[in-house]
Amino acid sequence: MTDIYFDHAATTPVHPEVLQAMLPYFTTVYGNASSTHGSGRQARAATLHARETISQFIGCTPNELIFTSGGTESDNMALFGAAAAGSHKGKHIITSQIEHHAVLHACEQLEKRGYEVTYLPVDKTGRIKLEHVQQAIRPDTILISTMYANNEVGTIQPIDDIGLMARDKGILFHVDAVQALGHVPIDLSRLPVDLMSFSAHKIQGPKGIGALYAAKHVKLEPLLYGGNQERKRRAGTENTAAIAGFSKAVQIIDRNTYETRQKLEKLRSEMAAKLQQALGREQVVINGHPVERVPHILNVSFPGISTETMLMNLDLEGIAAASGSACTAGSLEVSHVLKAMRLEDEITRSAIRFSFGPSNSLQEIDKAVEKIATVVQRIRN
Ligand SMILES: Cc1ncc(COP(=O)(O)O)c(C=O)c1O
């Protein structure tokens, strides 16, 4: 049984107000948003309201928002959609080595289809260097795709600067903002970004719903063909309940942005400080950028204790945490993010991600640190 949930970067519990906002669309307002009768019109009104709420929060117009099934689909739609629409101009794409697999595996697939992809390196804190972006740009580059905040170490990328470079060369710029929404202010009316991906389940919304921002001028080939939904950019009956939930989750962040950020920052800094106090500074290595980072992710290495052993022991103690490593054939592979950061082997093989949410408390931090200290000492002895 999980007692302490420190895995909010993987997913968050649905906020009770979100659940309440969703319920009518399962029970009373179950019409199809494309139907012309009363129930359909009510469902449509809910999606319009949600589109307005979310677009206002991120500073775009409602028509620039396409509802999708989540971050993965948004990333795929941005990459495949922009690649197909821009292939007459060129077939070169730039991304980074530390992207989420929703971007990396889509890029691998694009390579199989004749596109060329440059995977930018990052420094030891997980940041892309602007000079590397500059050097990678070619006359046939059609798209640059980088994440806003990394899901394993929390490092924030210099997206303003990358976006300006892209704009200067007439290259489309896609940003995966799945881990940034709610944690970093996003104002698309000012950001030099053409496409941006979002997901609701990272912000106390339901799973299986997200959005892609596509600026008015962006041409995208759809991934899905069928009905005329989403202005023919994404066919399929709208998931009204999930869309209403996503909208409510955004309203909740909007209402509490400042307090939530302060709280998460406090939880993160207390956890880091208390772990170092309990175990000694050299036994607790914090990964990622010290300043350019989101407040909810703390990636820590416990040198000498493998990620696998640590996660198993934390689970036994009722603490849910994560690693960025994929489990293949029963053992953990080293995370591609930490590998790209070129940290020492000892560090990459012992990294654990703790990620916090608004429902966590300082008491939980104290309890977790105590348990972790016991686990570490037990394993080391
Ligand atoms: C940075 C990033 N991009 C994309 C995704 C995929 O989002 P979803 O789970 O909504 O498909 C995730 C989920 O962990 C993520 O962290």
Side-chain angles (χ1 to χ4, degrees):
M1 238 318 255
T2 296
D3 184 22
I4 300 177
Y5 187 79
F6 286 166
D7 199 14
H8 291 81
T11 197
T12 58
V14 166
H15 192 285
E17 282 182 51
V18 169
L19 180 62
Q20 283 308 317
M22 292 174 70
L23 288 176
Y25 303 98
F26 293 111
T27 51
T28 49
V29 193
Y30 44 76
N32 184 319
S34 301
S35 298
T36 51
H37 50 63
S39 182
R41 290 199 305 276
Q42 261 182 294
R44 180 157 187 76
T47 63
L48 288 178
H49 177 66
R51 202 183 293 282
E52 259 169 37
T53 306
I54 300 168
S55 57
Q56 228 171 56
F57 183 67
I58 56 176
C60 68
T61 63
N63 287 342
E64 290 175 312
L65 209 60
I66 306 167
F67 285 119
T68 65
S69 63
T72 300
E73 186 186 329
S74 300
D75 285 345
N76 275 260
M77 187 188 281
L79 289 158
F80 286 105
S87 63
H88 61 285
K89 288 200 216 147
K91 288 196 155 190
H92 179 238
I93 294 167
I94 299 171
T95 188
S96 85
Q97 294 172 0
I98 61 158
E99 298 303 307
H100 190 271
H101 284 128
V103 166
L104 288 179
H105 290 166
C107 282
E108 282 168 23
Q109 192 56 37
L110 282 166
E111 286 183 281
K112 289 186 190 148
R113 298 181 191 180
Y115 290 81
E116 267 186 81
V117 183
T118 301
Y119 299 90
L120 299 172
V122 292
D123 66 17
K124 283 191 179 308
T125 69
R127 289 263 283 186
I128 297 168
K129 284 207 162 76
L130 294 177
E131 69 225 49
H132 288 151
V133 183
Q134 195 78 60
Q135 285 157 13
I137 293 176
R138 310 190 323 205
D140 61 340
T141 306
I142 50 169
L143 178 68
I144 300 178
S145 176
T146 65
M147 61 206 327
Y148 206 143
N150 181 266
N151 48 301
E152 287 185 37
V153 292
T155 301
I156 291 176
Q157 298 303 339
I159 66 154
D160 281 84
D161 295 327
I162 300 175
L164 288 176
M165 272 183 201
R167 200 146 275 187
D168 186 45
K169 303 276 182 198
I171 299 167
L172 286 183
F173 184 36
H174 165 244
V175 173
D176 175 342
V178 167
Q179 294 292 345
L181 184 64
H183 299 294
V184 178
I186 295 177
D187 181 4
L188 286 161
S189 68
R190 138 200 106 78
L191 283 173
V193 170
D194 306 293
L195 294 149
M196 194 175 264
S197 302
F198 304 102
S199 177
H201 74 102
K202 311 288 185 184
I203 56 160
Q204 306 188 89
K207 295 168 182 62
I209 187 76
L212 178 69
Y213 156 76
K216 270 187 214 80
H217 62 271
V218 174
K219 291 201 175 30
L220 283 182
E221 281 292 320
L223 280 183
L224 303 179
Y225 292 88
N228 290 341
Q229 292 91 353
E230 300 298 320
R231 311 176 119 232
K232 298 194 182 168
R233 292 167 299 180
R234 202 271 187 181
T237 299
E238 294 87 345
N239 188 349
T240 323
I243 290 172
F246 186 7
S247 169
K248 180 54 81 175
V250 164
Q251 283 173 280
I252 295 169
I253 317 176
D254 200 10
R255 206 165 71 198
N256 304 327
T257 306
Y258 182 71
E259 293 75 9
T260 306
R261 272 195 212 134
Q262 296 273 95
K263 179 175 182 180
L264 297 177
E265 195 56 62
K266 176 95 181 143
L267 292 171
R268 186 189 179 281
S269 60
E270 286 283 307
M271 178 99 177
K274 287 190 168 158
L275 279 173
Q276 288 184 325
Q277 226 169 43
L279 294 165
R281 280 191 161 263
E282 62 295 344
Q283 301 301 327
V284 178
V285 179
I286 315 262
N287 303 311
H289 199 282
V291 185
E292 297 295 340
R293 54 166 183 78
V294 278
H296 66 300
I297 295 178
L298 174 67
N299 192 300
V300 186
S301 292
F302 299 94
I305 303 178
S306 79
T307 302
E308 240 162 335
T309 306
M310 191 65 175
L311 281 182
M312 203 172 63
N313 277 279
L314 290 181
D315 190 32
L316 287 172
E317 296 288 342
I319 301 171
S323 74
S325 331
C327 187
T328 316
S331 70
L332 286 186
E333 271 180 31
V334 169
S335 128
H336 68 284
V337 174
L338 300 176
K339 216 183 207 167
M341 286 163 64
R342 296 209 222 153
L343 304 175
E344 287 158 41
D345 247 24
E346 185 84 321
I347 304 298
T348 50
R349 297 199 174 278
S350 61
I352 303 286
R353 177 188 72 184
F354 300 102
S355 52
F356 312 106
S359 58
N360 288 136
S361 65
L362 285 171
Q363 287 84 336
E364 285 179 311
I365 298 285
D366 287 341
K367 203 167 151 190
V369 170
E370 202 183 304
K371 287 184 176 212
I372 293 166
T374 314
V375 165
V376 169
Q377 268 138 18
R378 190 169 65 221
I379 298 170
R380 291 224 166 104
N381 292 335

